Amino acid sequence: MTTVPATISAELAGCDCPPGPVIDDVAAQDVARVFKALGDPTRVKLLSMIVANSSGEMCVCDLTDPVGLSQPTVSHHLRLLADAGLVVREQRGRWAYYRPTTGALSDAVGALIAAAS
Amino acid sequence: MTTVPATISAELAGCDCPPGPVIDDVAAQDVARVFKALGDPTRVKLLSMIVANSSGEMCVCDLTDPVGLSQPTVSHHLRLLADAGLVVREQRGRWAYYRPTTGALSDAVGALIAAAS
């Protein structure tokens, strides 16, 4: 397959479908960072557990057993979720507690589809 | 950091916060697959363009220029979006056309937070 400049290739294809507004590069980086953090089944499970917990937060000590991984590994996954803004970490005594943020995922989805609205 | 079994560590921490319902392993894999496909800024831009296009679909020929990549590279990214169920590909003559699916992303988000509802 050869590379054809878009302007030429659109004429060749007879396209009459000009692109609409597009997410900008900075926003695309931010959105991709959030989704990348969720591109792993362990992190999906961890976030779903934190979201589901009726107390509004979960201790790392309660998250290791359900995913069957060591605490350092779980803490690594949680750090990636926190770096993406999906959870907030609070150290209390010996343990770290995690609670979900309200906006990071919905903001990412919203930015992705904002151009359509 | 040392690994402490969760049951013991929960007692040590004095946690009274039992985990709620959790997304199952198969669903977590499916959800992670969708999010992983969006864990790249180029694919975020491509999907936002396809979603935004007023005609409801976009020719690959119109997607190369905005992201500044070769057509083979763009086609590779589009294949990953299609494999995750985020777009549907249709070959018409020389060019492939892509349209967004309605459910893959909202289903993934829904599955992730279903345990909370």
Side-chain angles (χ1 to χ4, degrees), chain B residues 10 20 26-28 32 34-35 46-47 54 57 63-64 68 70 76 80-81 84 98 101 103 109 113:
Chain B
V26 174
V34 173
F35 287 131
L46 289 170
L47 183 59
S54 57
E57 66 177 13
L63 290 166
T64 52
S70 71
H76 168 73
L80 294 176
L81 290 175
Y98 295 85
T101 59
V109 173
I113 61 172

Side-chain angles (χ1 to χ4, degrees), chain B:
Chain B
M1 195 184 283
T2 56
T3 304
V4 183
T7 47
I8 297 172
S9 60
E11 286 170 18
L12 286 171
C15 282
D16 57 351
C17 43
V22 178
I23 192 170
D24 68 49
D25 288 350
V26 174
Q29 292 273 359
D30 291 343
V31 167
R33 189 156 156 262
V34 173
F35 287 131
K36 190 173 184 178
L38 290 173
D40 176 280
T42 297
R43 292 196 288 279
V44 167
K45 282 194 78 169
L46 289 170
L47 183 59
S48 81
M49 283 190 283
I50 294 167
V51 169
N53 195 268
S54 57
S55 72
E57 66 177 13
M58 277 192 83
C59 174
V60 64
C61 58
D62 286 321
L63 290 166
T64 52
D65 206 37
V67 295
L69 296 169
S70 71
Q71 192 179 308
T73 301
V74 170
S75 291
H76 168 73
H77 283 301
L78 290 167
R79 192 176 309 120
L80 294 176
L81 290 175
D83 288 348
L86 289 159
V87 297
V88 174
R89 177 187 187 278
E90 186 183 334
Q91 187 76 32
R92 292 208 298 272
R94 176 171 180 166
W95 301 108
Y97 291 76
Y98 295 85
R99 60 177 190 277
T101 59
T102 52
L105 183 56
S106 57
D107 286 353
V109 173
L112 178 61
I113 61 172
S117 59

